[in-house]
């Protein structure tokens, strides 16, 4: 039987998932990991804030609302500190081994939540990115887009009796701005980002994610392989 083209050509890519509350990132990231592993492409799933021991401690601090008390700039520094640990302890070592890294949120979250909504100066955010990630850019960023009402409904259902976290408890206008900011990022950087219509059942959205992956990562691998011959 012929090997699927992706398993011959694509190893160790860095894919980030972004989107507002209830956009379905955690479901989709898991579906994609299963699909990649099924194609014999080893993949790990991780998340921000968190993903490494040090970063998980900072996650707890930020999502408890402590970050808000300290102000948006300091909150950004906390996200950056968590990212630095996560990149060095988990993301880079995995990519170096040829493992795919699927990360639930990354620098675009900081740009949207702290930058656009928290009004932290973009120059400060860029400076922190230089320190924490250097030239480690995601190969592909999938931005899951759902109407705010749908996302919040999903988030409330998922949360059940648990208390809303620091960002879930923000009002409707906040979430509308959030959605707009993500749509803008997708429009500004079409090479790296794909806006996925996530207002559908998980299997349908999963198929859209897979199509985006094939078009952006596998197709370019086929092209560069072809140009070597
Ligand atoms: P989480 O429980 O992981 O929620 P979600 O399912 O929405 O990803 O909470 C992470 C929260 O942290 C989320 O509301 C977005 C926020 N966040 C930032 O504000 N800045 C960041 O840099 C990151 C990574 C997350």
């Amino acid at each position: 039987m012929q090997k699927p083209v992706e398993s011959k050509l694509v190893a160790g890519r860095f894919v980030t998932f972004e989107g507002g509350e209830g956009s379905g990132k955690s479901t989709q990231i898991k579906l994609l990991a299963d699909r990649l592993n099924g194609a014999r492409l080893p993949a790990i799933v991780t998340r921000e804030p968190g993903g490494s021991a040090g970063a998980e401690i900072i996650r707890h601090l930020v999502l408890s609302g402590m970050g808000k008390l300290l102000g948006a700039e300091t909150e950004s520094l906390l996200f950056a500190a968590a990212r630095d640990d996560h990149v060095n302890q988990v993301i880079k070592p995995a990519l170096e081994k040829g493992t795919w890294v699927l990360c639930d949120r990354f620098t675009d979250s900081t740009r949207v939540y702290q930058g656009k909504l928290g009004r932290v100066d973009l120059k400060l955010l860029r400076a922190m990115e230089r320190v924490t990630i250097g030239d480690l850019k995601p190969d592909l960023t999938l931005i899951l887009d759902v109407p705010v009402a749908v996302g919040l409904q999903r988030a409330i259902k998922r949360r059940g009796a648990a208390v809303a976290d620091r960002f879930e408890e923000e009002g409707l206008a906040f979430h509308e701005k959030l959605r707009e900011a993500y749509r803008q990022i997708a429009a500004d950087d079409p090479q790296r980002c794909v806006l996925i219509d996530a207002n559908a059942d998980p299997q349908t959205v999963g198929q859209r994610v897979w199509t985006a992956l094939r078009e952006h990562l596998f197709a370019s691998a086929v092209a560069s392989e072809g140009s070597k011959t």
Side-chain angles (χ1 to χ4, degrees), residues 19-22 25-26 47-49 59 62-63 75 79 83 104-111 113-114 158 165-168:
E21 312 301 314
K25 293 180 284 86
S26 39
R47 68 167 178 189
E48 291 208 346
R59 175 187 174 89
V62 175
L63 296 189
E75 199 173 39
F79 281 113
R83 179 160 302 133
D104 190 340
R105 298 194 180 281
F106 198 58
T107 45
D108 294 306
S109 284
T110 314
R111 287 198 178 209
Y113 283 77
Q114 281 67 53
R158 180 187 60 183
D165 75 26
R166 148 99 178 78
F167 294 97
E168 281 172 358

Side-chain angles (χ1 to χ4, degrees), residues 55-68 70 78:
E56 286 292 330
I57 295 170
I58 299 174
R59 175 187 174 89
H60 181 70
L61 195 74
V62 175
L63 296 189
S64 70
M66 180 66 190
K68 192 176 185 179
L70 298 171
L78 290 174

Side-chain angles (χ1 to χ4, degrees), residues 1-167:
M1 199 176 77
Q2 214 185 356
K3 261 182 151 187
V5 71
E6 47 268 36
S7 65
K8 278 192 283 181
L9 296 173
V10 189
R13 295 302 177 98
F14 182 29
V15 180
T16 58
F17 281 70
E18 295 280 357
E21 312 301 314
S23 55
K25 293 180 284 86
S26 39
T27 304
Q28 289 307 321
I29 214 165
K30 192 175 175 312
L31 283 178
L32 180 58
D34 290 347
R35 201 154 183 179
L36 288 169
N37 287 321
R40 275 173 278 137
L41 293 168
I44 59 161
V45 172
T46 187
R47 68 167 178 189
E48 291 208 346
S52 61
E56 286 292 330
I57 295 170
I58 299 174
R59 175 187 174 89
H60 181 70
L61 195 74
V62 175
L63 296 189
S64 70
M66 180 66 190
K68 192 176 185 179
L69 295 176
L70 298 171
E73 265 89 14
T74 307
E75 199 173 39
S76 307
L77 294 172
L78 290 174
F79 281 113
R83 179 160 302 133
D84 190 63
D85 193 57
H86 185 215
V87 163
N88 288 311
Q89 301 299 323
V90 174
I91 299 178
K92 278 189 179 162
L95 291 171
E96 277 158 17
K97 275 198 305 194
T99 301
W100 284 62
V101 176
L102 311 182
C103 189
D104 190 340
R105 298 194 180 281
F106 198 58
T107 45
D108 294 306
S109 284
T110 314
R111 287 198 178 209
V112 167
Y113 283 77
Q114 281 67 53
K116 284 275 180 205
L117 289 130
R119 296 173 185 272
V120 175
D121 190 344
L122 186 57
K123 278 200 221 114
L124 173 64
L125 297 183
R126 285 213 191 102
M128 289 192 296
E129 281 175 21
R130 276 198 299 280
V131 175
T132 55
I133 66 168
D135 54 12
L136 174 80
K137 287 251 160 54
D139 294 297
L140 177 66
T141 296
L142 300 158
I143 299 178
L144 303 192
D145 181 59
V146 284
V148 168
V150 173
L152 289 181
Q153 238 0 82
R154 285 183 186 167
I156 289 166
K157 207 166 148 195
R158 180 187 60 183
R159 185 188 335 131
V163 181
D165 75 26
R166 148 99 178 78
F167 294 97

